[in-house]
Amino acid sequence: MKHLLVVLLVLCAGLTHAAVKVVTTLPDLADLVRQVGGDRVTVDNIVRGDQNPHFVEVKPSYMMKLKSADLFFMIGMDLEMWAPQIIDGSRNTKVEVVDLSKHIMKLEVPAKLDASEGDVHKYGNPHYWLDPRNVRIMMGEIVAALARVSPGDEQYFRSNADAYLRTLDAKIAQWTAAMKPFAGAKVITFHKSWTYFASWLGLTVAGQVEPKPGIVPSPAHTAELITLVRQSGIKAIIVEPFYDLSAPNQIARSTGSKVIRLATSVGGADGTKDYISLMEHNIAHLAGALR
Ligand SMILES: [Zn+2]
């Protein structure tokens, strides 16, 4: 009896296999990978939700995270200009780098490479994860990549993704309905983080507090925005958690419009513990300001 038990234990140990080791750049990607991978993945993440993803100071601990990873998921389109340094520094030659932008319909892609879109959107606008309809495309890539590492779990990954996408689709329907009364409304944003989000909801981004993506506000540009906000009766100035409020507050004081902090990533505002609660937060606050 004792021998049989030992044999069974050994057999069981042989059947359970190591979880797929994943590192993600953004916490939003970490959430999506967890939704798909369940207990068959371990996920580590690099950027905090209240950090500007364009500008991340590379630390040795990030290289350590990547050292034994199977997969490294990133947004791509040069959002993570700092990522190659982490990948090289990790000396992990077997990690597969998965650029989730591959099949995304990209917006604001310049006809030719120049500095007209500033320093940080050279390959087009990389903030596509804020249109929740793009999550289906991203999840397709996540399922495929996890299955390449662990082919036996493909069905498990696929059914988790399908269940998540059913929930997300129901949420998308609620969010679009909640925002329908504000279709066509004009907003100002600090950075061009909201291009995909606005295009999904039929909002018009009339201007940015930054003169160009990645360039700090200037008095002349802020004065122009004050005129624009007055003339167009713009009600909301959307500011990401990591930008300085002085220029937005100045515009709000001179015009009576409202500054609202919307989060671009999970953890960027209270209660944004996953992608769905992040979107809930943003929709509720924006609808409140536009009312
Ligand atoms: Zn950007």
Side-chain angles (χ1 to χ4, degrees):
M1 189 60 196
K2 215 173 186 178
H3 284 289
L4 188 63
L5 203 63
V6 170
V7 170
L8 276 174
L9 280 174
V10 169
L11 273 174
C12 287
L15 284 173
T16 60
H17 46 271
V20 181
K21 282 190 179 178
V22 174
V23 177
T24 56
T25 54
L26 300 194
D28 318 274
L29 302 184
D31 175 46
L32 298 181
V33 172
R34 283 189 191 105
Q35 300 291 347
V36 174
D39 57 6
R40 301 190 192 170
V41 300
T42 60
V43 187
D44 213 336
N45 181 60
I46 292 177
V47 185
R48 289 192 326 267
D50 59 355
Q51 257 182 308
N52 185 341
H54 281 299
F55 303 106
V56 171
E57 196 193 326
V58 170
K59 294 178 186 164
S61 62
Y62 301 159
M63 298 169 187
M64 287 305 292
K65 283 180 200 272
L66 209 60
K67 208 175 160 68
S68 60
D70 301 303
L71 295 168
F72 182 44
F73 288 102
M74 58 194 288
I75 292 292
M77 298 179 76
D78 224 22
L79 177 83
E80 305 100 330
M81 283 180 286
W82 38 270
Q85 206 187 330
I86 296 175
I87 298 164
D88 291 347
S90 75
R91 298 184 189 277
N92 180 345
T93 49
K94 70 167 178 62
V95 66
E96 186 195 339
V97 179
V98 184
D99 176 342
L100 292 171
S101 73
K102 207 158 87 186
H103 298 293
I104 297 287
M105 289 270 286
K106 301 174 179 70
L107 300 178
E108 298 175 345
V109 178
K112 60 180 174 57
L113 272 186
D114 60 30
S116 66
E117 278 303 306
D119 290 334
V120 297
H121 287 186
K122 275 188 291 211
Y123 300 97
N125 189 311
H127 301 277
Y128 60 82
W129 71 96
L130 289 164
D131 178 345
R133 297 171 304 178
N134 281 334
V135 169
R136 180 174 289 277
I137 299 166
M138 296 159 74
M139 264 200 174
E141 303 283 340
I142 292 169
V143 168
L146 292 178
R148 283 196 292 277
V149 178
S150 188
D153 290 322
E154 182 165 0
Q155 266 319 101
Y156 172 79
F157 297 143
R158 202 166 292 284
S159 65
N160 284 348
D162 288 345
Y164 180 82
L165 290 169
R166 275 194 297 276
T167 308
L168 183 66
D169 280 345
K171 285 287 176 190
I172 290 175
Q174 279 177 23
W175 297 329
T176 13
M179 288 302 290
K180 208 169 176 203
F182 312 113
K186 288 181 179 170
V187 295
I188 298 288
T189 70
F190 194 103
H191 176 76
K192 283 194 171 183
S193 308
W194 307 96
T195 306
Y196 294 84
F197 178 84
S199 115
W200 162 50
L201 294 169
L203 303 168
T204 303
V205 182
Q208 280 82 33
V209 180
E210 287 180 328
K212 278 178 183 180
I215 307 297
V216 292
S218 68
H221 183 66
T222 302
E224 279 170 23
L225 286 178
I226 289 171
T227 309
L228 176 70
V229 169
R230 270 201 204 116
Q231 280 171 353
S232 319
I234 294 170
K235 289 182 175 173
I237 306 163
I238 301 174
V239 186
E240 298 80 348
F242 37 81
Y243 287 121
D244 186 73
L245 283 172
S246 0
N249 280 343
Q250 193 193 337
I251 300 168
R253 271 198 308 273
S254 323
T255 60
S257 77
K258 238 182 273 174
V259 172
I260 49 167
R261 286 275 200 192
L262 298 191
T264 49
S265 277
V266 168
D270 283 347
T272 58
K273 57 178 181 10
D274 52 29
Y275 182 81
I276 287 178
S277 53
L278 168 77
M279 297 304 288
E280 296 266 358
H281 170 94
N282 289 340
I283 296 287
H285 282 254
L286 183 57
L290 294 176
R291 205 163 277 136

